[in-house]
Amino acid sequence: MTYNLWGTPNSLYTGKARSYLIKQGIAFTNRAAGEAHFLKDVTSKVGRWIIPVLEGSDGLIVQDGADIIRHFEAQGPTRYPAFPATPRHAIISQIFELFGGEGMLRPAMHYRWNFDDANLAFLEMDFARSLAPTHAPPEVQAGVFAMASKRMRMAMAGFGVTPETIPAIEASYAEFLALFDTHLASSPYLLGGAPTIGDYGLFAPLYAHLARDPYPQRLMQSSAHRVWRWTERMRCADSDAGEYGAPDPVLLANDAVPETLKALLRFVADDYLPEVRAFVAFINDWLAARPNLETGTSGLDRPQIRQLGEIEFVWRGHHVKAWAMHYRLYLLQMVQAVYDAADDAAQTSIADLLAETELSELITLRTTRRIERRDHLEVWSARV
């Protein structure tokens, strides 16, 4: 079977799926979301305009980077298994899928849309040529970019990017880069010699926005060269790890968690747990106010709407407002599913690690109903 990956070069979530397909040696064709077939046929099957979408020659449609990866992992052995078999590595990789795709949206949005002197000319061309209809004239391309730019700049506030929070965002990102760069001194990927779902989660923002747009690209190259090289490595079919002496493509032995990785986990606790607490509390209140919410629905009027409402929390000394979204709960549940499926000894090992890194709440913060994905849409399951 052959595959089309519908998305854009600059899409955070498309980049996650593309990296996985490349690493696994799965043949595919990159296709632009502005093509007529996508706009007419693919979106009608998905039920909304959203990327990425994987389309198979047999009619297969899989929407969402996380689901595309899980689709192939479920088919049988892959070149680099995305989900580690050992308990601590398994929970760590899921934590970084959640944090990468959702917890790093503030720096991703800030460094893309608040540096027009360096970024704007590139973004105008890059967005227009992948989102506008194929061979559209310049004026149509310009209109497409203007609409996309306006929408994304408005969305920044929904992720907590405001003039007041920008200094903290920049400080947070610098801290993350330093920690990840230090960790990568001893291994080419997050958990050793091969990528896992945690690498793909982190790659989503660290490539499409932060290693590809001109201003943050220069920032990463000059301040965190190992991270920059990792973004290159994540786009290669081979390990591309010559500077490490061509290590075997295996994870760290004995479910080991080096101190540099524990430092990264503590950063996640400081940087992202306040938001997780806030959105779980908001969702539980939202659900309590809707006792008759129909199973199998999003609970919202239109499937295109992805926000349940607005949360507020204290982050790095700032009162931040951001969106509560079904999808973030979906990824949080994947972290919790690793713990729930583990045996007693593995649960103890996971619990000890999370306590040491101040992340125990990722297991205990739960909602009264679960989110599932059916027909390419996040929907509510039956009450827990």
Side-chain angles (χ1 to χ4, degrees):
M1 182 161 61
T2 59
Y3 299 101
N4 290 323
L5 181 66
W6 294 96
T8 67
N10 45 58
S11 160
L12 183 155
Y13 299 106
T14 304
K16 174 181 175 178
R18 185 188 300 113
S19 173
Y20 174 84
L21 295 174
I22 291 169
K23 281 297 183 189
Q24 303 303 344
I26 298 168
F28 72 100
T29 302
N30 284 297
R31 301 291 294 272
E35 291 187 41
H37 174 63
F38 179 78
L39 296 173
K40 179 183 177 182
D41 302 319
V42 178
T43 57
S44 65
K45 294 176 182 177
V46 173
R48 53 180 169 168
W49 192 104
I50 190 169
I51 53 177
V53 178
L54 183 79
E55 180 187 33
S57 55
D58 66 348
L60 171 77
I61 294 287
V62 185
Q63 192 283 307
D64 179 57
D67 284 5
I68 290 169
I69 291 172
R70 282 160 177 80
H71 167 77
F72 286 106
E73 290 292 305
Q75 305 306 304
T78 53
R79 179 189 289 174
Y80 303 117
F83 304 113
T86 53
R88 297 202 295 179
H89 286 174
I91 200 82
I92 288 168
S93 63
Q94 292 295 165
I95 288 170
F96 282 104
E97 182 185 29
L98 167 65
F99 178 70
E102 301 301 313
M104 293 195 70
L105 289 176
R106 274 185 285 280
M109 296 296 284
H110 166 58
Y111 282 106
R112 168 163 287 178
W113 296 110
N114 285 330
F115 292 88
D116 281 354
D117 286 351
N119 291 343
L120 187 59
F122 170 76
L123 294 175
E124 285 177 335
M125 293 183 290
D126 204 50
F127 270 68
R129 290 170 183 173
S130 57
L131 289 175
T134 307
H135 306 308
E139 61 271 19
V140 172
Q141 292 189 20
V144 167
F145 173 74
M147 180 177 64
S149 173
K150 180 180 179 180
R151 181 171 173 265
M152 291 295 101
R153 291 173 194 270
M154 290 175 62
M156 276 198 295
F159 297 119
V161 182
T162 65
E164 293 73 27
T165 62
I166 283 173
I169 291 169
E170 294 184 350
S172 168
Y173 180 56
E175 183 180 348
F176 171 82
L177 282 181
L179 289 168
F180 194 25
D181 198 72
T182 298
H183 176 63
L184 290 172
S186 58
S187 64
Y189 298 98
L190 188 67
L191 290 169
T196 67
I197 192 67
D199 290 277
Y200 300 120
L202 287 173
F203 181 77
L206 285 171
Y207 173 63
H209 288 235
L210 296 166
R212 192 170 179 274
D213 293 353
Y215 183 89
Q217 179 191 73
R218 292 197 299 269
L219 177 64
M220 184 186 292
Q221 288 173 330
S222 62
S223 66
H225 183 263
R226 293 188 191 96
V227 180
W228 161 253
R229 277 287 296 128
W230 170 86
T231 66
E232 291 191 314
R233 191 172 302 121
M234 289 293 291
R235 291 177 283 132
C236 292
D238 68 354
S239 62
D240 188 20
E243 61 262 54
Y244 298 89
D248 291 334
V250 296
L251 303 188
L252 298 168
N254 302 316
D255 211 17
V257 184
E259 290 301 320
T260 53
L261 187 49
K262 291 177 182 177
L264 268 173
L265 290 166
R266 291 188 188 100
F267 173 85
V268 174
D270 289 340
D271 206 71
Y272 193 46
L273 266 184
E275 188 166 357
V276 176
R277 293 186 195 110
F279 79 66
V280 170
F282 175 93
I283 290 173
N284 276 328
D285 289 342
W286 188 92
L287 289 169
R290 296 162 176 80
N292 298 318
L293 179 64
E294 184 179 351
T295 297
T297 70
S298 70
L300 301 173
D301 294 337
R302 295 186 296 126
Q304 292 83 1
I305 300 174
R306 306 194 73 195
Q307 301 84 35
L308 291 166
E310 188 177 70
I311 58 175
E312 185 170 353
F313 55 97
V314 177
W315 178 76
R316 292 183 174 250
H318 296 275
H319 287 270
V320 175
K321 293 181 179 180
W323 289 326
M325 305 174 72
H326 305 84
Y327 189 71
R328 293 178 178 178
L329 176 59
Y330 180 63
L331 292 184
L332 175 62
Q333 288 173 172
M334 292 180 182
V335 177
Q336 295 167 349
V338 172
Y339 179 81
D340 293 346
D343 62 26
D344 290 347
Q347 285 190 346
T348 297
S349 180
I350 291 170
D352 289 347
L353 173 67
L354 296 185
E356 183 182 356
T357 56
E358 302 175 9
L359 280 169
S360 299
E361 288 174 275
L362 287 183
I363 299 304
T364 60
L365 288 167
R366 308 221 177 193
T367 53
T368 57
R369 293 181 71 164
R370 293 179 55 81
I371 280 289
E372 300 173 350
R373 280 180 54 85
R374 301 180 192 173
D375 299 324
H376 320 294
L377 181 70
E378 296 86 31
V379 299
W380 294 103
S381 68
R383 189 169 296 276
V384 176

